[in-house]
Amino acid sequence: MRKAVAVFVVLILALSSMLFLGCGGKEAAKEEETAEKEEVAGEVPAGEARGGEETAPSGEESAEAGPPAGYVYGGQVIGSKTPFEYLKLVDVRWGSHEDYFRVVAELKRLDGTDVTNVPWCFADYSDDPTIEYGTEIRLYIRGIKPEDVQITSLKGGHGQLTGDPVCYQILMSTYGSLDGVDPVNLFVSTKTKRPFRLTYATAPLRIILDIWK
């Protein structure tokens, strides 16, 4: 009888111990899982998307930016005065885009082949005191004789209206040499002073003036 009671007591103690350890193990596992979740949450950098969510851009990133690099209000120069060769102007075209207005002057050698050296060109706001309304950007292209200007629509100083509300007229002149070498001048009339950029492209050679609106 005593032996049976002793065995029963041992069984009860063993069961109690197992129940206690089981509860403690679950609590420990729960605490460990919570700690892991907190650690993972802390590893996600601020502002970075998590789990496929998209984060909204900050105020600085979404703010309206100014004109791209290269657009300035002051004078700009491309090309070189040497080596020098006379060229002919074969085309002048322009187009109005959403953010900018573009003028393109296409050049060829006198024999009709492609130009390999960019002639000296500059662009700046004109200081002509006779301008009565708005202002104008002057694009000067060195080394084109008046007889080698193939553009009839702009010859004779007749301005062409563009239909653009900001850059509203283009005028061409073959006078005003700075160093004794014949030039072509293209004047773009603008309502107000706007930043602009002078660049070029090759094959064929094109002098490009972009005016930011």
Side-chain angles (χ1 to χ4, degrees):
M1 182 70 178
R2 288 181 182 177
K3 196 172 192 178
V5 170
V7 170
F8 181 74
V9 170
V10 169
L11 287 173
I12 290 177
L13 290 173
L15 288 171
S16 299
S17 177
M18 287 174 64
L19 287 172
F20 176 78
L21 289 174
C23 292
K26 286 181 182 178
E27 289 298 329
K30 198 170 186 180
E31 289 177 3
E32 186 177 353
E33 184 181 355
T34 303
E36 286 177 357
K37 285 182 179 178
E38 290 174 354
E39 186 179 354
V40 169
E43 286 175 357
V44 178
E48 188 170 300
R50 180 206 302 264
E53 297 175 1
E54 210 171 80
T55 55
S58 67
E60 291 181 356
E61 292 173 343
S62 59
E64 180 66 25
Y71 284 85
V72 298
Y73 286 92
Q76 301 171 51
V77 175
I78 60 172
S80 172
K81 289 185 177 181
T82 55
F84 172 76
E85 61 177 336
Y86 273 106
L87 307 173
K88 61 182 177 181
L89 181 66
V90 297
D91 190 25
V92 175
R93 50 191 179 270
W94 54 86
S96 181
H97 302 268
E98 183 178 358
D99 296 325
Y100 64 94
F101 183 85
R102 171 168 288 182
V103 179
V104 177
E106 186 174 324
L107 307 177
K108 291 281 189 181
R109 284 198 176 105
L110 296 182
D111 62 3
T113 59
D114 281 344
V115 181
T116 55
N117 296 311
V118 180
W120 190 70
C121 308
F122 80 82
D124 202 354
Y125 275 95
S126 171
D127 56 359
D128 186 348
T130 64
I131 300 173
E132 297 179 0
Y133 180 69
T135 185
E136 62 184 12
I137 300 173
R138 176 192 185 190
L139 170 57
Y140 174 101
I141 305 173
R142 183 178 188 260
I144 304 173
K145 296 178 180 179
E147 60 267 26
D148 292 319
V149 176
Q150 308 295 307
I151 312 301
T152 57
S153 61
L154 291 176
K155 263 189 173 181
H158 300 294
Q160 294 290 317
L161 296 177
T162 66
D164 186 88
V166 177
C167 305
Y168 61 91
Q169 180 179 258
I170 294 181
L171 177 70
M172 183 172 67
S173 167
T174 54
Y175 302 98
S177 173
L178 298 178
D179 54 3
V181 178
D182 297 313
V184 158
N185 301 285
L186 293 171
F187 296 93
V188 182
S189 300
T190 61
K191 297 290 187 182
T192 59
K193 283 195 172 184
R194 306 299 306 157
F196 58 91
R197 180 179 63 184
L198 179 62
T199 57
Y200 69 91
T202 57
L205 180 65
R206 287 148 288 159
I207 307 301
I208 301 170
L209 176 65
D210 289 333
I211 303 170
W212 190 257
K213 297 183 186 178

